[in-house]
Amino acid sequence: MYYNKSIPPPSGPMVNPYNEFFKFAFGSAIYIIIVSFTTIVANGLLLVVFFFDPFKIFRNATTYFLVGLALVDILTAAIQEPINATCFLMMYLGHPDTVSTCVPLLDVAQTVSVAAMNASFFIVLAFTVTQYIVVISPLKYARSVTKTHVVICVAAIYSYAILFSLSPLMGVPKEIQQKIDNICHSIAMIYLTIVFYILLYIAFKKKMAASKSLREDGNTQDGGRNNRQTGVERKFIIVNFLLIAILFLTSQPSAMLWIVRLYSADTPISPKVLIVHLMVDNVLYLKFLLDPFVYAWRIPKYRQALKIVLRCGREKPEAKSTFRDRVMARMSASRDSVITLDFRSITPD
């Protein structure tokens, strides 16, 4: 989030050149309040399902990545976003203490933003790498990806993100920190994650082809299983395209704008440029909002578990065993992630 400390609050009879920006800031404040509330609720419910878990299948190793991601999202929505919304409202209303109050508050918000964004990107990358390992080597996954290892990984990510965000207090020039953050974290890490998504897709296709080949070699005629495999493939492609699109579209506009700002000549910031900053920041907030929906809410079993939790357990899971239920039970027993349940559904029984 960028804030120009030289912007004066609107006062006096003169027409303030930043009046247009203040109007956009007011609209942005309302938007941020709505997004912040929704982000906290959506991620809070994810944590509720994780801790109560009526199906006893969500506390496997890789769901701790999702817990770490949810905590980061809640931190952002509870601290950074309300600070920005409050300062935008103060600017719009012409509060006399806008500059003296908001400059230190926005510095805090910026520090929280750097820590939270980097932690979020690292967790998504670690989670994607874990999914890749699941596909190429399930046995290696069972041995190396344990709850303890994932918790240590998330804790290490948190520690690095916090230390990096506080690096200016340790003597690192602010400009150097911003350039490293933008190039290494906001750009390089995002593209590395996308590369792993592509590798994951390639490995998944090979796994499906091997499964189909085994069935053909066995001269089995299982049309229903072939249809299920086709459905799994289609769903996998759609979901991973959605993940890549959301990650890229929410993060890169802000990253590209920071590239321009950090490497262009030091020129005065016009109201139009500030409005563009507002727009890309608003897009960035969508990442924290969409994380729980992309990684958890889209899963039918999660939604079913959430209904049971919200009804205080009065509704029990259905006794009827479906193909998906059997796959989920099998995956739970072998420590696989809820997110990667469909991977094993293509392997021969």
Side-chain angles (χ1 to χ4, degrees):
M1 170 60 202
Y2 175 75
Y3 176 70
N4 189 350
K5 298 179 181 180
S6 64
I7 297 179
S11 59
M14 296 180 62
V15 177
N16 193 308
Y18 290 95
N19 278 341
E20 184 180 6
F21 167 74
F22 295 136
K23 293 178 181 178
F24 276 90
F26 175 76
S28 182
I30 302 303
Y31 165 83
I32 291 173
I33 291 172
I34 296 172
V35 169
S36 174
F37 176 78
T38 308
T39 301
I40 293 173
V41 171
N43 285 281
L45 290 176
L46 188 155
L47 295 179
V48 168
V49 171
F50 172 80
F51 285 112
F52 288 96
D53 192 4
F55 294 116
K56 308 301 179 185
I57 60 174
F58 293 100
R59 287 197 184 186
N60 51 66
T62 50
T63 52
Y64 283 86
F65 282 127
L66 302 187
V67 171
L69 194 62
L71 291 175
V72 168
D73 294 343
I74 290 175
L75 176 69
T76 304
I79 298 179
Q80 181 204 359
E81 294 177 16
I83 288 176
N84 290 337
T86 300
C87 290
F88 290 156
L89 289 175
M90 291 179 69
M91 282 189 285
Y92 176 76
L93 296 174
H95 195 285
D97 297 329
T98 298
V99 174
S100 60
T101 301
C102 287
V103 168
L105 281 179
L106 288 172
D107 285 340
V108 172
Q110 179 67 25
T111 301
V112 172
S113 174
V114 171
M117 188 61 65
N118 289 336
S120 178
F121 289 159
F122 268 110
I123 291 174
V124 171
L125 174 60
F127 183 72
T128 307
V129 172
T130 302
Q131 286 185 303
Y132 178 65
I133 296 174
V134 171
V135 176
I136 63 172
S137 181
L139 293 178
K140 182 178 180 180
Y141 164 78
R143 291 193 303 267
S144 61
V145 184
T146 65
K147 293 179 183 179
T148 301
H149 290 166
V150 172
V151 170
I152 292 174
C153 178
V154 172
I157 289 172
Y158 281 172
S159 299
Y160 170 80
I162 292 172
L163 288 175
F164 183 83
S165 68
L166 297 176
S167 58
L169 300 179
M170 305 173 191
V172 178
K174 187 74 173 179
E175 184 179 356
I176 298 299
Q177 184 217 33
Q178 290 174 340
K179 289 182 178 180
I180 293 175
D181 183 44
N182 193 67
I183 295 174
C184 296
H185 300 150
S186 298
I187 297 179
M189 193 181 304
I190 296 301
Y191 284 95
L192 180 61
T193 303
I194 292 175
V195 168
F196 268 100
Y197 271 126
I198 295 172
L199 293 175
L200 176 62
Y201 170 74
I202 294 172
F204 185 74
K205 290 282 288 184
K206 290 181 178 179
K207 177 78 71 172
M208 293 190 69
S211 175
K212 184 177 180 181
S213 177
L214 284 174
R215 290 199 303 274
E216 291 176 349
D217 291 343
N219 295 321
T220 59
Q221 300 296 327
D222 190 349
R225 189 173 181 83
N226 287 333
N227 290 336
R228 285 195 297 268
Q229 177 169 320
T230 302
V232 168
E233 180 181 10
R234 185 183 300 110
K235 180 180 177 181
F236 181 85
I237 294 172
I238 294 173
V239 168
N240 279 273
F241 176 80
L242 180 64
L243 293 174
I244 293 174
I246 290 176
L247 184 64
F248 182 85
L249 294 177
T250 57
S251 65
Q252 292 312 288
S254 177
M256 294 300 107
L257 195 60
W258 272 94
I259 282 286
V260 174
R261 178 191 164 193
L262 291 172
Y263 293 96
S264 63
D266 188 12
T267 55
I269 304 298
S270 68
K272 290 185 178 180
V273 172
L274 290 174
I275 291 172
V276 173
H277 274 281
L278 277 183
M279 296 301 103
V280 297
D281 285 340
N282 289 342
V283 171
L284 193 58
Y285 297 143
L286 288 177
K287 181 197 178 300
F288 301 101
L289 170 62
L290 294 175
D291 278 343
F293 293 98
V294 170
Y295 291 101
W297 283 69
R298 64 178 177 80
I299 301 174
K301 207 70 173 179
Y302 170 83
R303 297 195 297 270
Q304 187 179 354
L306 178 60
K307 290 179 182 178
I308 295 173
V309 170
L310 293 180
R311 294 175 183 176
C312 301
R314 288 193 294 269
E315 179 182 337
K316 296 182 179 180
E318 296 179 2
K320 183 179 179 181
S321 177
T322 63
F323 172 77
R324 180 180 292 275
D325 294 331
R326 293 194 299 273
V327 172
M328 294 187 80
R330 188 191 316 166
M331 295 299 287
S332 175
S334 61
R335 291 172 164 245
D336 282 337
S337 166
V338 174
I339 304 302
T340 56
L341 291 176
D342 286 330
F343 293 160
R344 285 286 188 85
S345 66
I346 63 171
T347 59
D349 290 326

Short mmCIF file of all heavy atoms in Angstrom, two decimals, residues 7-41:
data_model
loop_
_atom_site.label_atom_id
_atom_site.label_comp_id
_atom_site.label_asym_id
_atom_site.label_seq_id
_atom_site.Cartn_x
_atom_site.Cartn_y
_atom_site.Cartn_z
N ILE A 7 0.65 14.50 0.93
CA ILE A 7 -0.72 14.85 0.60
C ILE A 7 -1.36 15.56 1.78
O ILE A 7 -1.44 15.01 2.88
CB ILE A 7 -1.56 13.61 0.26
CG1 ILE A 7 -0.99 12.93 -0.97
CG2 ILE A 7 -3.01 13.98 0.02
CD1 ILE A 7 -1.74 11.68 -1.35
N PRO A 8 -1.82 16.80 1.62
CA PRO A 8 -2.46 17.50 2.73
C PRO A 8 -3.92 17.09 2.84
O PRO A 8 -4.54 16.72 1.85
CB PRO A 8 -2.33 18.97 2.32
CG PRO A 8 -2.38 18.93 0.81
CD PRO A 8 -1.70 17.64 0.42
N PRO A 9 -4.49 17.15 4.03
CA PRO A 9 -5.92 16.89 4.16
C PRO A 9 -6.70 18.02 3.50
O PRO A 9 -6.24 19.17 3.49
CB PRO A 9 -6.15 16.86 5.68
CG PRO A 9 -5.04 17.69 6.24
CD PRO A 9 -3.87 17.47 5.34
N PRO A 10 -7.85 17.75 2.92
CA PRO A 10 -8.62 18.80 2.25
C PRO A 10 -9.12 19.82 3.26
O PRO A 10 -9.79 19.47 4.23
CB PRO A 10 -9.77 18.03 1.60
CG PRO A 10 -9.89 16.78 2.40
CD PRO A 10 -8.51 16.45 2.86
N SER A 11 -8.77 21.07 3.09
CA SER A 11 -9.21 22.10 4.02
C SER A 11 -9.24 23.43 3.29
O SER A 11 -8.60 23.62 2.26
CB SER A 11 -8.26 22.18 5.22
OG SER A 11 -6.95 22.47 4.79
N GLY A 12 -9.99 24.39 3.87
CA GLY A 12 -10.03 25.74 3.32
C GLY A 12 -10.91 25.84 2.10
O GLY A 12 -11.38 24.85 1.56
N PRO A 13 -11.12 27.05 1.66
CA PRO A 13 -12.01 27.27 0.51
C PRO A 13 -11.38 26.91 -0.82
O PRO A 13 -12.07 26.80 -1.82
CB PRO A 13 -12.29 28.78 0.59
CG PRO A 13 -11.07 29.35 1.26
CD PRO A 13 -10.62 28.30 2.24
N MET A 14 -10.05 26.77 -0.85
CA MET A 14 -9.41 26.47 -2.13
C MET A 14 -9.74 25.06 -2.58
O MET A 14 -9.96 24.16 -1.78
CB MET A 14 -7.89 26.62 -1.99
CG MET A 14 -7.44 28.04 -1.67
SD MET A 14 -5.64 28.15 -1.52
CE MET A 14 -5.16 27.68 -3.18
N VAL A 15 -9.77 24.89 -3.89
CA VAL A 15 -10.03 23.56 -4.45
C VAL A 15 -8.77 22.72 -4.34
O VAL A 15 -7.72 23.09 -4.87
CB VAL A 15 -10.47 23.67 -5.93
CG1 VAL A 15 -10.66 22.27 -6.51
CG2 VAL A 15 -11.76 24.48 -6.03
N ASN A 16 -8.87 21.64 -3.64
CA ASN A 16 -7.71 20.76 -3.44
C ASN A 16 -7.54 19.87 -4.66
O ASN A 16 -8.49 19.21 -5.08
CB ASN A 16 -7.93 19.90 -2.18
CG ASN A 16 -6.65 19.22 -1.74
OD1 ASN A 16 -5.99 18.55 -2.52
ND2 ASN A 16 -6.30 19.39 -0.47
N PRO A 17 -6.34 19.83 -5.25
CA PRO A 17 -6.13 19.00 -6.45
C PRO A 17 -6.32 17.52 -6.18
O PRO A 17 -6.44 16.73 -7.12
CB PRO A 17 -4.69 19.32 -6.86
CG PRO A 17 -4.04 19.82 -5.62
CD PRO A 17 -5.11 20.54 -4.86
N TYR A 18 -6.32 17.13 -4.89
CA TYR A 18 -6.46 15.71 -4.55
C TYR A 18 -7.90 15.32 -4.22
O TYR A 18 -8.15 14.23 -3.72
CB TYR A 18 -5.55 15.35 -3.38
CG TYR A 18 -4.09 15.38 -3.73
CD1 TYR A 18 -3.32 16.52 -3.50
CD2 TYR A 18 -3.48 14.28 -4.33
CE1 TYR A 18 -1.98 16.55 -3.84
CE2 TYR A 18 -2.13 14.30 -4.67
CZ TYR A 18 -1.40 15.44 -4.43
OH TYR A 18 -0.06 15.48 -4.78
N ASN A 19 -8.85 16.23 -4.47
CA ASN A 19 -10.25 15.93 -4.15
C ASN A 19 -10.74 14.66 -4.87
O ASN A 19 -11.49 13.86 -4.30
CB ASN A 19 -11.15 17.12 -4.52
CG ASN A 19 -11.15 18.19 -3.44
OD1 ASN A 19 -10.78 17.92 -2.30
ND2 ASN A 19 -11.54 19.40 -3.81
N GLU A 20 -10.33 14.49 -6.12
CA GLU A 20 -10.75 13.30 -6.87
C GLU A 20 -10.19 12.04 -6.20
O GLU A 20 -10.89 11.02 -6.08
CB GLU A 20 -10.25 13.39 -8.31
CG GLU A 20 -10.72 12.23 -9.19
CD GLU A 20 -10.21 12.35 -10.61
OE1 GLU A 20 -9.41 13.27 -10.89
OE2 GLU A 20 -10.60 11.51 -11.45
N PHE A 21 -8.94 12.12 -5.75
CA PHE A 21 -8.35 10.98 -5.06
C PHE A 21 -9.09 10.67 -3.77
O PHE A 21 -9.33 9.51 -3.44
CB PHE A 21 -6.87 11.26 -4.75
CG PHE A 21 -6.27 10.29 -3.78
CD1 PHE A 21 -5.97 8.99 -4.18
CD2 PHE A 21 -6.01 10.66 -2.47
CE1 PHE A 21 -5.42 8.08 -3.27
CE2 PHE A 21 -5.46 9.77 -1.58
CZ PHE A 21 -5.17 8.47 -1.98
N PHE A 22 -9.49 11.71 -3.02
CA PHE A 22 -10.20 11.50 -1.77
C PHE A 22 -11.54 10.79 -2.00
O PHE A 22 -11.97 9.97 -1.18
CB PHE A 22 -10.43 12.83 -1.04
CG PHE A 22 -9.16 13.49 -0.59
CD1 PHE A 22 -8.97 14.86 -0.76
CD2 PHE A 22 -8.14 12.75 -0.01
CE1 PHE A 22 -7.80 15.47 -0.34
CE2 PHE A 22 -6.97 13.35 0.41
CZ PHE A 22 -6.79 14.71 0.24
N LYS A 23 -12.19 11.09 -3.12
CA LYS A 23 -13.45 10.41 -3.44
C LYS A 23 -13.20 8.92 -3.69
O LYS A 23 -13.96 8.07 -3.21
CB LYS A 23 -14.11 11.06 -4.66
CG LYS A 23 -14.59 12.48 -4.42
CD LYS A 23 -15.19 13.08 -5.69
CE LYS A 23 -15.64 14.52 -5.45
NZ LYS A 23 -16.18 15.14 -6.69
N PHE A 24 -12.16 8.63 -4.45
CA PHE A 24 -11.82 7.23 -4.68
C PHE A 24 -11.40 6.55 -3.38
O PHE A 24 -11.67 5.36 -3.16
CB PHE A 24 -10.70 7.11 -5.72
CG PHE A 24 -11.19 7.16 -7.14
CD1 PHE A 24 -11.29 8.38 -7.82
CD2 PHE A 24 -11.54 6.00 -7.81
CE1 PHE A 24 -11.73 8.41 -9.13
CE2 PHE A 24 -11.98 6.03 -9.12
CZ PHE A 24 -12.08 7.24 -9.79
N ALA A 25 -10.71 7.30 -2.51
CA ALA A 25 -10.28 6.75 -1.23
C ALA A 25 -11.49 6.38 -0.38
O ALA A 25 -11.48 5.36 0.32
CB ALA A 25 -9.40 7.76 -0.49
N PHE A 26 -12.53 7.20 -0.42
CA PHE A 26 -13.76 6.89 0.34
C PHE A 26 -14.39 5.60 -0.19
O PHE A 26 -14.77 4.72 0.59
CB PHE A 26 -14.75 8.05 0.21
CG PHE A 26 -16.07 7.77 0.85
CD1 PHE A 26 -16.21 7.82 2.23
CD2 PHE A 26 -17.18 7.45 0.08
CE1 PHE A 26 -17.44 7.55 2.84
CE2 PHE A 26 -18.40 7.17 0.67
CZ PHE A 26 -18.53 7.23 2.05
N GLY A 27 -14.52 5.49 -1.51
CA GLY A 27 -15.07 4.26 -2.09
C GLY A 27 -14.21 3.06 -1.76
O GLY A 27 -14.72 1.97 -1.46
N SER A 28 -12.88 3.26 -1.77
CA SER A 28 -11.97 2.17 -1.44
C SER A 28 -12.14 1.75 0.02
O SER A 28 -12.06 0.56 0.36
CB SER A 28 -10.52 2.60 -1.70
OG SER A 28 -9.63 1.55 -1.42
N ALA A 29 -12.38 2.72 0.91
CA ALA A 29 -12.56 2.41 2.33
C ALA A 29 -13.78 1.52 2.54
O ALA A 29 -13.73 0.54 3.32
CB ALA A 29 -12.71 3.70 3.13
N ILE A 30 -14.88 1.84 1.87
CA ILE A 30 -16.09 1.01 1.98
C ILE A 30 -15.82 -0.39 1.45
O ILE A 30 -16.20 -1.40 2.06
CB ILE A 30 -17.26 1.65 1.22
CG1 ILE A 30 -17.53 3.07 1.75
CG2 ILE A 30 -18.50 0.79 1.34
CD1 ILE A 30 -17.82 3.14 3.23
N TYR A 31 -15.14 -0.46 0.32
CA TYR A 31 -14.79 -1.75 -0.28
C TYR A 31 -13.92 -2.57 0.68
O TYR A 31 -14.15 -3.77 0.89
CB TYR A 31 -14.07 -1.50 -1.60
CG TYR A 31 -13.33 -2.68 -2.17
CD1 TYR A 31 -13.98 -3.65 -2.93
CD2 TYR A 31 -11.95 -2.82 -1.97
CE1 TYR A 31 -13.29 -4.73 -3.46
CE2 TYR A 31 -11.26 -3.89 -2.50
CZ TYR A 31 -11.93 -4.84 -3.24
OH TYR A 31 -11.25 -5.90 -3.77
N ILE A 32 -12.90 -1.92 1.27
CA ILE A 32 -11.98 -2.62 2.16
C ILE A 32 -12.72 -3.14 3.40
O ILE A 32 -12.45 -4.26 3.87
CB ILE A 32 -10.83 -1.69 2.57
CG1 ILE A 32 -9.93 -1.42 1.37
CG2 ILE A 32 -10.01 -2.30 3.70
CD1 ILE A 32 -8.86 -0.38 1.63
N ILE A 33 -13.64 -2.37 3.94
CA ILE A 33 -14.40 -2.81 5.11
C ILE A 33 -15.17 -4.09 4.80
O ILE A 33 -15.17 -5.05 5.58
CB ILE A 33 -15.35 -1.69 5.58
CG1 ILE A 33 -14.55 -0.52 6.15
CG2 ILE A 33 -16.34 -2.23 6.62
CD1 ILE A 33 -15.38 0.71 6.46
N ILE A 34 -15.81 -4.12 3.64
CA ILE A 34 -16.58 -5.31 3.24
C ILE A 34 -15.64 -6.51 3.03
O ILE A 34 -15.90 -7.62 3.51
CB ILE A 34 -17.39 -5.02 1.96
CG1 ILE A 34 -18.43 -3.94 2.23
CG2 ILE A 34 -18.07 -6.30 1.44
CD1 ILE A 34 -19.15 -3.46 0.98
N VAL A 35 -14.55 -6.27 2.30
CA VAL A 35 -13.59 -7.35 2.03
C VAL A 35 -12.96 -7.86 3.32
O VAL A 35 -12.80 -9.07 3.52
CB VAL A 35 -12.51 -6.87 1.04
CG1 VAL A 35 -11.37 -7.86 0.96
CG2 VAL A 35 -13.11 -6.65 -0.34
N SER A 36 -12.60 -6.94 4.21
CA SER A 36 -11.98 -7.32 5.48
C SER A 36 -12.90 -8.21 6.30
O SER A 36 -12.48 -9.26 6.82
CB SER A 36 -11.60 -6.07 6.27
OG SER A 36 -11.11 -6.41 7.55
N PHE A 37 -14.16 -7.81 6.43
CA PHE A 37 -15.11 -8.60 7.21
C PHE A 37 -15.30 -9.99 6.60
O PHE A 37 -15.26 -11.00 7.31
CB PHE A 37 -16.46 -7.86 7.27
CG PHE A 37 -17.54 -8.64 7.96
CD1 PHE A 37 -17.59 -8.73 9.34
CD2 PHE A 37 -18.51 -9.30 7.21
CE1 PHE A 37 -18.59 -9.47 9.98
CE2 PHE A 37 -19.51 -10.03 7.84
CZ PHE A 37 -19.55 -10.12 9.22
N THR A 38 -15.48 -10.04 5.28
CA THR A 38 -15.69 -11.32 4.61
C THR A 38 -14.45 -12.22 4.73
O THR A 38 -14.57 -13.44 4.92
CB THR A 38 -16.01 -11.09 3.12
OG1 THR A 38 -17.09 -10.16 3.01
CG2 THR A 38 -16.43 -12.40 2.45
N THR A 39 -13.27 -11.63 4.64
CA THR A 39 -12.03 -12.40 4.75
C THR A 39 -11.90 -13.03 6.13
O THR A 39 -11.54 -14.22 6.26
CB THR A 39 -10.81 -11.49 4.49
OG1 THR A 39 -10.91 -10.94 3.17
CG2 THR A 39 -9.51 -12.27 4.60
N ILE A 40 -12.21 -12.27 7.17
CA ILE A 40 -12.12 -12.79 8.53
C ILE A 40 -13.12 -13.92 8.75
O ILE A 40 -12.78 -14.97 9.32
CB ILE A 40 -12.34 -11.66 9.55
CG1 ILE A 40 -11.17 -10.66 9.50
CG2 ILE A 40 -12.48 -12.22 10.97
CD1 ILE A 40 -11.38 -9.43 10.35
N VAL A 41 -14.34 -13.74 8.27
CA VAL A 41 -15.37 -14.77 8.46
C VAL A 41 -15.01 -16.05 7.70
O VAL A 41 -15.06 -17.15 8.26
CB VAL A 41 -16.74 -14.24 7.99
CG1 VAL A 41 -17.78 -15.37 7.98
CG2 VAL A 41 -17.22 -13.13 8.91
#
